[in-house]
Structures are given as structure tokens and as C-alpha cells.
């Protein structure tokens, strides 16, 4: 699981540049050129679900869905179209025909009578406990610079039909706020171990606002106390139970740029205890890279990847890697995590009993010419192995999204099972 900062729910930051001539751009059926908006796969109904505990399952049908920020535009420098959702359940996992465009004009909540102009997906979890994943989005509410700024976060609630209806503004009680910073950087997790999903957001000057779930459909938490002291200003997710006490923990970075970070441990009072400090780096990823009982940490640095096995024990190692930005997944379904490293190429290091293997990493070829980012790693086809979703940009108006299935041998399939363009979200 990669730990994401603001503005990066599933829009990853692992970059690579394809070399050589541009290959053909396949679509969701495979093998044919990517179609523009007018030629996109015909729209299909969103499958109706009954609720599930699958991550990122907004319609509750038991299939994981994919969230897309920064959709391609009809022309350069045009306004952001919004957020795209591709629903799962197709024969290869995702179904590009079952797609939905989330826009601030249609689904944003007004602040001081004004609709937001920006909608960016930030975090996803079932905040109201009804079996349908909800989406936390960031917006740009009007602010005159006086006093505390308004809360820029809004909630879209999942349902049997997916993300329907207008968003509601997240309620952060006055007692849970501090200073005059924007309350942002939302991270979902069960930080008190009671089974309900909570939210943590940045408050100000090394303080966190802890909002205890479940949340009402009006965006209010069950409770919220005074801000909690933190070792930095940037809480990042996804959260995970690092120490095995039943409550989720999270990593808090000192700043958005390269710097140190520390684990903040959850418990009955929420994320209130600072644990192990991690070395300075550009990115942090948590996973179970070996057979230890606790989670492990990987920190991306310009000189390589610093590893800390069995948190919070002090055992350390270093993995030679040109990538500073990291993600994790279990591509072969053996219960151990692979480390995805992005730099001049996208490489996957195999998790083994003795830890990550530096020998023979798998190199993932980009699906098209351009700059490729990791979107998400998760089990989209329901076979028990994680899959890898990547997106290749060619400027602001062309792209290719591809999903590579996890494999028992070789970690990832050589060819994607699903490909499409986000131009399909644009109006015809």
C-alpha cells in the first residue's frame, strides 16, 4: 500500500517514459485503436449491488471500482472535467462501459451559494457503514482570507447505483480545528478499533483533527475532540494496523517534499501516540515484504530504497533502486507484498520469505508511448491476486489506461486485460 498525500487518492506518482515508436493504442476490447469520446464504448448501466466489504466498491456489488482524477480534455488548457469512475464486474474485471463522470456542477455542494469549480478525489472508505464505499473529494470554496478558511472537503455517498446525488460538506466541529490552515489531507481508517471508519485531516502546525465515525449523511462525525499533536503536517494514507492491536495507524510526514516521517499509532483514543521514526525520503510505502508478523516500511530516496523490516523493530536494509516513488501490492497472491518502484522504468521487486529480492525485478512495459503513472494496485478481477492499473499520458488530450492482471508466476501478465481512454468520459 502506498502512502498518498493530498490530491492523490489513486492518481499515482510513479513516472516512466516509453522509448521507441508509439505502439497501437488498444481499447477495452483489446487490439483496436483507442477511440475518442464519440467512439467510446457504449454506456452500460452501473451494476446494482447489495453492499459489500470490498475496497473501493461504490455500488456494493462485490467488485472493485477505479477512480480517475485529471481526465483528458477536449482541448489543452480547458477546465477540469471532473472525476471518472469505472465500475467493476466485467469479464476482465473493470468494465469501461460502466463509467460515470462526477462533476462539481452536477454533484458539488454549494458554499456561500457558490458551486465549486474543482473536484479532486482524495480518499475512499465506507464512512456511514452501509456497505457502500464513499468518496472524499477536495474543492475550492470561496474564502476572503479572514479567520479560519471553510472546510474544502465534501463527501459523496455510495449506493446500489454507485455515487449518486449531491455531495455534502464534511463537518469538522470548531473544537476539532486549530489555527488558520486549510483542513485537508484526509486519511480514512479505523483509528480507534471500534469497527467504524474514521477520518484524520491536517489541522495546523503539527496537529491532526480526528473525526470519529460513523458519519451521518449530512457529513457529521459521531464525535470529535480537540486536535491531536502530530510529528508533522502531512498525514498520508492508506492507513494500516502496523502493530496488530486492532486499530489502524498512519504515517505523518514532516512536509510535502523530501523529509522525515513517523508512524502515529491508533488506539482507543484514536491516533494519539507517535511511534517509530522513519528516515528522510521522497515517498513511503507499507507492506509485508517478508514473513515477519508486523508490517514493513520502504522509504524512497535518490540513492536507493531504505527498508525497515518488522515495524517498529529497528532492523534496516537497503534495496538498490533508481525509483524514489513507491507502491506495494500482492501480485502473486502469496500473502507477501511486492514493492513497485518508479523512476526511469517501472519495476516490481518480489516479496519473499526472507524479504524483498533485489535480483531480477520485473519490468513493466508501458501500454503506449508517453509518460506513465501508476493509478492503483488492487484485485479488480476477483481472483485473489492484485492487479496493476497504469495510465499513459500524451499531453492533456490523449491517454491510455491499462490494467495488468496479477499472475502466480512472473507476478504480472505481459499484456493488459483491459485498456481504454479517459476521453470516454467527455461529452460526445
Amino acid at each position: 500500500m502506498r502512502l498518498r498525500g493530498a490530491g492523490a487518492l489513486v492518481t499515482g506518482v510513479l513516472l516512466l517514459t516509453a522509448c521507441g515508436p508509439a505502439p497501437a493504442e488498444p481499447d477495452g476490447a483489446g487490439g483496436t485503436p483507442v477511440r475518442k469520446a464519440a467512439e467510446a464504448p457504449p454506456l452500460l448501466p452501473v451494476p446494482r449491488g447489495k453492499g459489500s466489504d470490498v475496497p473501493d466498491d461504490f455500488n456494493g456489488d462485490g467488485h472493485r471500482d477505479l477512480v480517475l482524477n485529471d481526465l483528458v480534455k477536449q482541448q489543452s488548457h480547458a477546465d477540469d472535467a471532473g472525476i471518472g469512475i469505472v465500475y467493476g464486474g466485467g469479464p476482465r474485471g473493470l468494465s469501461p462501459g460502466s463509467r460515470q463522470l462526477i462533476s462539481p456542477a452536477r454533484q458539488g455542494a454549494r458554499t456561500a451559494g457558490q458551486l465549486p469549480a474543482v473536484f479532486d478525489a482524495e480518499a475512499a472508505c465506507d464512512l456511514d457503514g452501509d456497505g457502500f464505499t464513499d468518496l472524499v473529494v477536495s474543492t475550492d470554496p470561496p474564502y476572503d482570507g479572514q479567520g479560519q478558511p471553510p472546510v474544502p472537503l465534501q463527501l459523496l455517498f455510495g449506493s446500489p447505483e454507485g455515487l449518486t446525488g449531491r455531495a455534502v460538506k464534511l463537518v469538522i466541529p470548531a473544537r476539532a480545528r486549530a489555527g488558520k490552515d486549510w483542513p485537508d489531507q484526509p486519511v480514512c481508517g479505523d483509528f480507534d478499533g471500534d469497527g467504524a471508519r474514521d477520518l484524520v485531516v491536517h489541522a495546523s502546525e503539527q496537529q491532526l483533527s480526528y473525526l470519529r465515525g460513523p458519519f451521518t449523511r449530512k457529513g457529521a462525525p459521531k464525535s470529535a475532540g480537540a486536535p491531536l499533536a502530530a510529528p508533522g503536517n502531512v498525514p498520508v494514507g492508506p492507513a494500516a494496523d502496523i502493530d496488530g492491536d486492532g486499530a489502524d495507524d498512519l504515517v505523518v510526514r514532516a512536509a510535502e517534499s523530501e523529509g522525515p516521517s513517523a508512524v502515529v499509532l491508533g488506539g482507543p483514543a484514536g491516533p494519539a501516540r507517535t511511534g517509530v521514526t522513519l528516515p528522510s525520503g521522497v515517498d513511503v510505502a507499507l507492506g509485508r515484504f517478508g514473513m515477519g508478523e508486523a508490517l514493513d516500511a520502504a522509504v524512497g530516496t535518490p540513492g536507493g530504497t531504505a527498508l525497515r523490516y518488522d515495524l517498529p523493530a529497528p532492523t534496516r536494509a537497503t534495496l538498490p533502486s533508481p525509483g524514489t516513488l513507491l507502491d506495494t501490492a500482492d501480485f502473486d497472491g502469496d500473502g507477501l507484498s511486492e514493492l513497485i518502484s518508479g523512476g526511469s522504468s517501472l519495476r516490481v521487486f518480489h516479496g519473499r520469505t526472507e524479504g524483498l529480492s533485489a535480483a531480477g525485478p520485473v519490468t513493466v512495459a508501458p501500454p503506449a508511448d508517453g509518460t506513465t503513472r501508476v493509478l492503483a494496485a488492487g484485485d479488480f478481477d476477483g481472483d485473489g491476486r492484485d492487479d496493476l492499473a497504469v495510465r499513459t499520458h500524451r499531453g492533456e488530450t490523449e491517454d491510455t489506461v491499462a490494467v495488468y492482471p496479477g499472475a502466480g508466476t512472473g507476478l504480472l501478465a505481459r499484456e493488459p486485460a483491459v485498456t481504454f481512454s479517459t476521453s470516454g468520459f467527455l461529452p460526445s
Side-chain angles (χ1 to χ4, degrees), residues 25-35 39 41 92 96 401 417-421:
E25 300 169 21
D27 70 0
T32 58
V34 166
R35 294 166 285 193
E39 303 175 75
R92 296 172 179 151
V401 175
V418 177
T419 55
F420 61 92
S421 170

Side-chain angles (χ1 to χ4, degrees), residues 2-192:
R2 180 182 175 273
L3 299 171
R4 301 177 177 89
L9 168 68
V10 290
T11 50
V13 289
L14 305 181
L15 305 182
L16 62 150
T17 302
C19 300
E25 300 169 21
D27 70 0
T32 58
V34 166
R35 294 166 285 193
K36 300 299 182 182
E39 303 175 75
L43 275 173
L44 299 174
V46 173
R48 186 179 177 88
K50 297 181 180 180
S52 81
D53 58 1
V54 171
D56 296 350
D57 184 8
F58 302 107
N59 59 330
D61 67 344
H63 299 282
R64 190 170 189 142
D65 310 319
L66 180 66
V67 184
L68 296 145
N69 278 324
D70 302 321
L71 307 176
V72 296
K73 303 171 182 178
Q74 291 178 322
Q75 57 187 11
S76 296
H77 309 300
D79 291 340
D80 186 8
I83 302 166
I85 309 293
V86 178
Y87 288 90
R92 296 172 179 151
L94 294 175
S95 176
S98 297
R99 62 185 183 270
Q100 179 185 18
L101 177 63
I102 306 294
S103 72
R106 287 197 297 264
Q107 291 176 277
R110 294 180 181 271
T111 300
Q114 180 175 314
L115 281 171
V118 174
F119 245 25
D120 284 319
E122 297 283 357
C125 59
D126 184 4
L127 291 170
D128 59 353
D130 64 351
F132 301 91
T133 301
D134 311 311
L135 187 65
V136 184
V137 300
S138 62
T139 67
D140 58 341
Y143 176 53
D144 61 7
Q146 304 299 311
Q148 286 186 331
V151 176
L153 302 174
Q154 298 188 6
L155 310 179
L156 283 161
F157 289 98
S159 75
E161 294 81 26
L163 295 170
T164 60
R166 283 208 175 264
V168 301
K169 291 183 282 188
L170 175 66
V171 177
I172 302 181
R175 62 182 174 276
R177 297 195 61 180
K180 296 182 180 180
D181 289 355
W182 288 92
D184 55 13
Q185 319 275 4
V187 179
C188 287
D190 179 10
F191 299 108
D192 56 5

Side-chain angles (χ1 to χ4, degrees), residues 124-360:
C125 59
D126 184 4
L127 291 170
D128 59 353
D130 64 351
F132 301 91
T133 301
D134 311 311
L135 187 65
V136 184
V137 300
S138 62
T139 67
D140 58 341
Y143 176 53
D144 61 7
Q146 304 299 311
Q148 286 186 331
V151 176
L153 302 174
Q154 298 188 6
L155 310 179
L156 283 161
F157 289 98
S159 75
E161 294 81 26
L163 295 170
T164 60
R166 283 208 175 264
V168 301
K169 291 183 282 188
L170 175 66
V171 177
I172 302 181
R175 62 182 174 276
R177 297 195 61 180
K180 296 182 180 180
D181 289 355
W182 288 92
D184 55 13
Q185 319 275 4
V187 179
C188 287
D190 179 10
F191 299 108
D192 56 5
D194 68 351
R197 293 293 170 179
D198 315 310
L199 278 177
V200 163
V201 301
H202 165 66
S204 72
E205 294 305 320
Q206 297 187 318
Q207 295 181 89
L208 302 177
S209 294
Y210 165 51
L211 310 176
R212 190 187 300 263
F215 288 71
T216 71
R217 282 299 182 107
K218 293 184 177 180
K222 178 180 179 180
S223 63
L228 303 174
N233 286 318
V234 187
V236 289
D241 184 4
I242 293 172
D243 57 2
D245 67 348
D248 282 339
D249 315 304
L250 75 158
V251 170
V252 177
R253 302 189 64 182
E256 288 274 12
S257 57
E258 182 176 359
S261 57
V263 173
V264 175
L265 300 170
R273 298 174 295 137
T274 298
V276 64
T277 298
L278 299 174
S280 181
V282 177
D283 199 12
V284 180
L286 298 178
R288 185 164 280 107
F289 303 127
M291 287 303 292
E293 294 184 0
L295 289 182
D296 311 314
V299 180
T301 68
T305 298
L307 302 172
R308 187 158 192 167
Y309 284 99
D310 276 355
L311 293 175
T315 305
R316 293 180 174 87
T318 301
L319 182 72
S321 169
T324 54
L325 302 173
L326 310 173
D327 209 328
T328 64
D330 180 6
F331 292 125
D332 55 2
D334 65 353
L336 300 178
S337 300
E338 277 69 59
L339 179 68
I340 309 164
S341 173
S344 58
S345 63
L346 181 62
R347 302 194 299 168
V348 179
F349 294 90
H350 198 170
R352 302 180 185 274
T353 302
E354 64 275 14
L356 285 171
S357 172

Side-chain angles (χ1 to χ4, degrees), residues 331-332 348 362-365 381 383 385-388 402-418:
F331 292 125
D332 55 2
V348 179
V362 174
T363 300
V364 181
D381 57 13
D383 67 352
R385 296 188 289 260
D386 285 340
D387 313 308
L388 183 66
V403 181
Y404 294 84
T409 58
L411 297 183
L412 287 167
R414 291 183 176 271
E415 300 295 331
V418 177

